[in-house]
C-alpha cells in the first residue's frame, strides 16, 4: 500500500514534465517553446517546493506516515525541476553563450538570487540520503532548515521577475507564508494535538 | 503617394515574398507545393493571401472600402527577415489589459467592442476633434509595411502592418507652435479588459505612451489599422494602434482612444512604474542593457528547442539610416 503511494507520487511528479514536453512536441508551446518550458518548469519547481513543505504539517495533522515517506522524493523532484529550469535558461535563453552567463551572474540580482537558491537545493539534495544523515548527525537538521531560506530566495527571484501584475506571485507568497506560520512553535504544537499520537491520552 | 524608405539592407519588393510565403505556410502545407502555388499568384492577391488562417480583406466597412487601393509592400524588411506566421503574431502578445500571460490576449480580447470607436485628438492643435477610425485615416491610401518588431523582452517578430503615416493625421489637426510631444492613451474599460480589474496590477490605467513631435512626424511612424492583409485582431490592438519600428514594442501603443499634443514630455506607463528599466525614448539599442537582461541579442520568433534563433540586435532595430538623425548629439546611454 505504501509502495503504491510512493509510486503514485512518483508518477504524479513526472506529469508536469510529460505534459509540458508533450505540449511543445505537439506545437502547442507557442512560438517560443524554450521560454514556455523555462517558465513552466520554474513554477513547477516552486509548487513542488511548497508541496514538500506542506508534508510535515500534514503528517502532524493526520498522523499518517505516508506523508513523511515521500518527503525526500518530492524534495528531489523540486531540485530536478529547478535544474530543468536552469537548463532551459542556459540552452534556450542564453543559447549556451557562457560569457553571457558570467555577466548575468554578476549583474542581475534576480539571477544571483535564483542561483543561490539552486545551490541550496543542491546541498539539500546531495545530503538527502541516509549516509549523509548519519555522518552529519545533529547538523543535518540544521542544514536542512536551509530549505526555508531557499524558499524565501525563490520567492524573491520570482518577485523580481514580475513585470505588470503581482496577483499570481501573491498567491504563492500567501501559501508560503501560511506554511511558515504552521512552523511557529505554538501553532505547530496545536497542530500536533488535533489528532494525538496513539497511546497518548487526550488531555482535558 | 507611396513613401520609399529603402536602405541597403532592404530588398526589392518581390524578393521577400516567396520565402515569406514559404515560412507562413510551412506548418500547414507541404513546403514545395505551397511555394509553387503561391508564387504563381499575381502580386496584389499574393500579398493579401500571404498568410494562413487569415481571412483576406476582412474587417469593418471603413477597412474593406480601402482594401482595393492598398499600397502593398510599400516598405519591406531585410533579406534575412522572414514574416512571422500569423498564428504566432496573434497568439503571443503582451497586452496587459487582457492578462499577463502571452496567450491571455488571444483568449480574452474577443469580448472587446471595437465598433463604434472614437479617438479624441486634443491639446496643442488648431483643429481638435473626436474622430471615428474612418475620419482618422482620412484620404491617405493604406500602406502595407513589413516591419521588424523588437520586444523589450529580447524577442522579435516581422509583421506586415497596414496603416497610414501618423504624420498625415497630425498635419491635418495642425499642431500649434507649443506642441512638442504627443501623448497616446489606450482604452480604459475594465468590464471588457480583465487585466484592468486586477487589484495587483502595477500599471496605472489607462496605459499611456508618448513620442517627441519629430518622432511622431517621422515617416516610419505608422497609424496602424491592419496586419496580414486584414483589419487588426483585437489582441493586436484593434481598431487602431501605433507602430514605431525603431523602438521597443511597448512604445507601439494599442487600441488608442486619445491623442494629445502637449508641451511637456508626458508620463508613460512603463517609465512611471520603473524609470530605470524603461526610459521615455526606449529606442532599440544593443549597447544599453535592460537591468535584468542583455539587449545585445534577440530571439527571432518562432524559434524551436533545437535552434533558439538568436540574432544580433541592430541599432534602432535596423532603422538607423532613417532615424539616427533624430537623436544626433544626444547621449543615448543617458536618454535610453
Ligand atoms: C541558476 C538558477 C536560476 C536561473 C538562472 C533562473 C532563471 C530564471 C529566468 C530567466 C526566469 C524568467 C524571467 C522572465 O523572463 O520572466 C525565471 C523565472 C522563474 N524562476 Fe528561475 N532561475 C533560477 C532558479 C530558480 C529556482 C531554484 C526556482 C524555484 C525552485 C525558480 C523559479 C522560478 C519561477 C517560479 C519563475 C517565474 C515564472 C513565471 O514568471 O511564470 N528559479 N528564472
Amino acid at each position: 500500500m505504501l509502495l503504491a503511494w510512493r509510486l503514485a507520487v512518483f508518477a504524479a511528479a513526472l506529469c508536469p514534465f510529460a505534459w509540458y514536453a508533450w505540449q511543445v512536441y505537439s506545437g502547442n508551446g507557442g512560438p517560443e517553446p524554450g521560454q514556455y518550458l523555462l517558465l513552466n518548469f520554474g513554477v513547477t519547481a516552486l509548487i513542488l517546493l511548497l508541496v514538500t513543505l506542506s508534508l510535515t504539517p500534514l503528517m502532524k495533522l493526520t498522523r499518517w506516515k505516508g506523508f513523511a515517506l515521500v518527503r525526500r522524493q518530492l524534495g528531489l523532484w523540486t531540485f530536478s525541476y529547478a535544474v530543468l529550469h536552469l537548463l532551459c535558461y542556459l540552452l534556450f535563453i542564453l543559447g549556451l553563450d557562457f560569457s553571457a552567463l558570467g555577466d548575468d551572474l554578476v549583474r542581475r540580482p534576480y539571477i544571483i538570487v535564483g542561483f543561490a537558491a539552486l545551490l541550496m537545493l543542491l546541498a539539500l539534495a546531495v545530503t538527502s540520503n541516509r549516509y549523509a544523515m548519519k555522518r552529519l548527525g545533529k547538523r543535518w537538521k540544521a542544514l536542512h532548515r536551509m530549505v526555508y531560506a531557499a524558499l524565501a530566495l525563490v520567492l524573491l527571484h520570482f518577485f523580481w521577475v514580475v513585470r505588470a501584475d503581482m496577483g499570481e506571485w501573491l498567491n504563492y507568497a500567501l501559501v508560503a507564508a501560511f506554511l511558515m506560520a504552521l512552523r511557529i512553535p505554538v501553532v505547530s504544537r496545536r497542530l500536533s494535538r488535533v489528532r494525538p499520537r496513539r497511546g497518548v491520552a487526550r488531555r482535558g | 503617394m507611396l513613401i520609399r524608405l529603402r536602405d541597403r539592407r532592404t530588398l526589392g519588393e518581390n524578393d521577400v515574398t516567396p520565402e515569406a510565403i514559404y515560412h507562413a505556410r510551412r506548418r500547414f502545407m507541404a513546403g514545395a507545393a505551397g511555394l509553387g502555388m503561391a508564387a504563381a499568384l499575381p502580386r496584389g492577391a499574393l500579398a493579401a493571401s500571404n498568410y494562413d488562417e487569415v481571412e483576406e480583406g476582412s474587417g469593418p466597412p471603413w477597412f474593406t472600402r480601402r482594401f482595393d487601393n492598398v499600397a502593398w509592400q510599400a516598405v519591406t524588411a531585410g533579406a534575412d527577415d522572414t514574416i512571422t506566421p500569423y498564428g504566432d503574431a496573434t497568439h503571443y502578445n503582451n497586452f496587459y489589459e487582457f492578462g499577463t500571460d502571452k496567450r491571455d490576449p488571444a483568449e480574452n480580447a474577443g469580448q472587446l467592442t471595437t465598433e463604434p470607436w472614437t479617438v479624441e485628438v486634443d491639446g496643442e492643435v488648431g483643429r481638435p476633434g473626436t474622430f471615428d477610425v474612418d475620419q482618422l485615416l482620412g484620404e491617405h491610401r493604406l500602406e502595407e509595411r513589413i516591419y521588424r518588431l523588437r520586444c523589450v523582452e529580447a524577442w522579435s517578430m516581422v509583421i506586415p502592418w497596414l496603416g497610414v503615416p501618423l504624420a498625415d493625421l497630425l498635419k491635418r489637426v495642425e499642431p500649434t507652435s507649443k506642441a512638442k510631444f504627443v501623448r497616446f492613451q489606450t482604452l480604459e474599460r475594465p468590464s471588457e479588459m480583465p487585466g484592468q480589474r486586477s487589484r495587483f496590477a502595477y500599471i496605472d490605467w489607462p496605459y499611456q505612451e508618448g513620442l517627441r513631435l519629430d518622432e511622431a512626424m517621422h515617416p516610419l511612424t505608422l497609424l496602424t489599422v491592419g496586419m496580414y492583409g486584414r483589419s487588426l485582431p483585437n489582441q493586436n490592438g484593434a481598431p487602431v494602434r501605433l507602430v514605431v519600428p525603431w523602438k521597443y514594442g511597448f512604445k507601439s501603443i494599442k487600441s488608442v482612444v486619445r491623442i494629445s499634443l502637449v508641451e511637456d514630455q508626458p508620463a508613460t506607463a512603463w517609465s512611471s512604474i520603473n524609470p530605470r528599466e524603461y526610459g521615455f525614448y526606449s529606442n532599440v539599442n544593443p549597447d544599453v542593457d535592460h537591468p535584468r537582461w542583455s539587449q545585445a541579442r534577440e530571439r527571432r520568433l518562432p524559434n524551436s528547442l533545437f535552434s533558439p534563433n538568436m540574432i544580433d540586435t541592430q541599432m534602432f532595430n535596423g532603422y538607423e539610416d532613417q532615424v539616427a538623425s533624430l537623436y544626433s548629439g544626444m547621449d543615448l546611454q543617458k536618454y535610453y
Side-chain angles (χ1 to χ4, degrees):
Chain A
M1 192 339 228
L2 283 175
L3 181 67
W5 160 245
R6 287 161 87 159
L7 286 174
V9 170
F10 187 93
L14 203 57
C15 280
F17 177 80
W19 171 252
Y20 295 126
W22 168 250
Q23 288 292 304
V24 167
Y25 178 75
S26 57
N28 293 324
E32 203 176 2
Q35 179 82 5
Y36 171 85
L37 291 180
L38 171 87
L39 296 182
N40 283 307
F41 288 155
V43 168
T44 306
L46 172 56
I47 291 174
L48 283 170
L49 184 58
L50 293 171
V51 169
T52 309
L53 286 170
S54 67
L55 294 172
T56 302
L58 277 172
M59 193 185 62
K60 283 192 172 149
L61 195 66
T62 62
R63 299 272 168 221
W64 186 51
K65 69 175 177 184
F67 289 121
L69 271 178
V70 294
R71 202 169 56 175
R72 172 170 175 229
Q73 191 197 140
L74 281 170
L76 289 174
W77 277 116
T78 303
F79 176 66
S80 310
Y81 278 96
V83 168
L84 285 172
H85 176 68
L86 172 66
L87 282 177
C88 288
Y89 176 71
L90 296 177
L91 287 171
F92 309 136
I93 305 296
L94 294 185
L96 284 182
D97 176 355
F98 286 100
S99 66
L101 175 67
D103 266 10
D104 273 5
L105 274 180
V106 190
R107 287 179 19 212
R108 319 225 182 264
Y110 89 97
I111 297 280
I112 299 170
V113 161
F115 202 75
L118 192 71
L119 288 181
M120 289 183 180
L121 294 180
L122 172 70
L124 299 183
V126 297
T127 59
S128 66
N129 49 53
R130 229 163 260 171
Y131 174 74
M133 247 169 152
K134 254 188 220 140
R135 289 244 2 211
L136 288 166
K138 270 196 187 138
R139 279 174 303 161
W140 188 88
K141 206 161 185 182
L143 179 71
H144 278 244
R145 288 232 168 85
M146 206 159 66
V147 71
Y148 305 130
L151 174 63
L153 290 182
V154 168
L155 284 173
L156 185 61
H157 170 72
F158 190 177
F159 181 79
W160 275 335
V161 163
V162 172
R163 294 196 245 292
D165 194 301
M166 290 234 308
E168 192 195 355
W169 180 86
L170 217 60
N171 288 336
Y172 293 107
L174 284 176
V175 172
F178 176 70
L179 290 174
M180 294 314 289
L182 294 180
R183 287 168 165 81
I184 299 169
V186 189
V187 184
S188 142
R189 256 176 272 138
R190 296 229 166 147
L191 208 60
S192 307
R193 266 186 238 138
V194 177
R195 280 192 62 189
R197 231 180 285 262
R198 254 166 290 168
V200 179
R202 192 193 285 258
R203 266 181 289 168
Chain B
M1 192 191 67
L2 211 149
I3 301 180
R4 294 278 160 189
L5 295 154
R6 291 280 163 84
D7 62 22
R8 7 181 192 73
R9 273 185 291 272
T10 56
L11 279 177
E13 36 198 47
N14 294 314
D15 300 343
V16 74
T17 315
E19 200 192 36
I21 290 167
Y22 173 71
H23 280 272
R25 300 199 159 212
R26 77 196 143 94
R27 290 185 173 183
F28 303 91
M29 285 193 186
L35 185 70
M37 228 178 70
L41 292 170
R43 199 169 75 79
L46 181 145
S49 63
N50 226 345
Y51 325 106
D52 282 294
E53 307 166 56
V54 186
E55 233 183 283
E56 167 185 337
S58 69
W62 54 258
F63 182 82
T64 49
R65 195 161 60 69
R66 288 173 166 81
F67 192 70
D68 289 337
N69 191 29
V70 171
W72 295 109
Q73 302 194 11
V75 177
T76 55
D80 301 327
D81 294 320
T82 309
I83 292 179
T84 304
Y86 176 77
D88 291 336
T90 53
H91 289 77
Y92 201 71
N93 310 101
N94 283 327
F95 194 171
Y96 290 123
E97 280 80 347
F98 294 106
T100 54
D101 193 275
K102 299 264 188 302
R103 302 165 185 234
D104 287 344
E107 245 161 61
N108 300 331
Q111 53 192 305
L112 180 69
T113 317
T114 56
E115 290 283 329
W117 191 276
T118 55
V119 179
E120 199 181 333
V121 182
D122 60 3
E124 299 294 340
V125 288
R127 311 180 61 187
T130 303
F131 306 93
D132 62 23
V133 183
D134 196 28
Q135 294 164 328
L136 211 61
L137 292 172
E139 298 306 312
H140 201 291
R141 187 179 178 198
L142 283 186
E143 291 181 16
E144 183 182 53
R145 298 189 176 188
I146 304 171
Y147 282 161
R148 290 174 286 274
L149 173 87
R150 171 63 158 78
C151 180
V152 70
E153 296 171 326
W155 53 267
S156 62
M157 293 185 178
V158 179
I159 299 183
W161 303 106
L162 287 167
V164 302
L166 178 66
D168 183 70
L169 168 70
L170 293 180
K171 279 181 208 148
R172 268 186 284 136
V173 297
E174 296 171 7
T176 70
S177 59
K178 276 196 189 159
K180 299 283 183 319
F181 293 89
V182 188
R183 185 182 66 211
F184 303 87
Q185 222 172 66
T186 295
L187 178 72
E188 182 172 15
R189 191 184 286 160
S191 61
E192 291 182 352
M193 297 178 141
Q196 292 180 340
R197 297 201 291 269
S198 165
R199 278 168 300 149
F200 306 108
Y202 290 153
I203 297 174
D204 188 12
W205 313 108
Y207 190 84
Q208 294 207 134
E209 257 310 333
L211 295 173
R212 231 168 46 194
L213 185 58
D214 57 344
E215 296 176 321
M217 296 291 286
H218 192 279
L220 280 176
T221 304
L222 196 68
L223 188 68
T224 304
V225 295
M227 61 196 267
Y228 295 82
R230 53 154 291 171
S231 61
L232 284 174
N234 287 358
Q235 65 265 35
N236 295 84
V240 58
R241 65 172 293 170
L242 195 68
V243 176
V244 194
W246 71 94
K247 291 173 180 282
Y248 292 120
F250 67 86
K251 295 292 290 183
S252 294
I253 186 170
K254 303 189 180 94
S255 303
V256 173
V257 293
R258 189 170 172 204
I259 301 175
S260 313
L261 285 97
V262 294
E263 197 171 354
D264 301 315
Q265 180 176 309
T268 61
W270 286 104
S271 60
S272 304
I273 300 169
N274 200 333
R276 255 305 281 121
E277 298 193 353
Y278 311 97
F280 174 78
Y281 287 95
S282 287
N283 293 318
V284 174
N285 186 342
D287 303 325
V288 177
D289 282 356
H290 185 279
R292 281 185 278 168
W293 54 83
S294 160
Q295 295 291 27
R297 310 184 75 199
E298 67 200 48
R299 308 182 295 277
R300 178 58 60 82
L301 305 187
N303 64 11
S304 77
L305 296 187
F306 305 103
S307 65
N309 231 5
M310 289 277 207
I311 56 176
D312 287 338
T313 290
Q314 304 176 65
M315 188 63 201
F316 295 115
N317 202 23
Y319 300 96
E320 185 168 12
D321 291 352
Q322 291 99 320
V323 303
S325 59
L326 291 172
Y327 310 102
S328 54
M330 270 174 75
D331 179 358
L332 295 176
Q333 298 280 333
K334 189 168 163 220
Y335 297 100
Y336 52 84

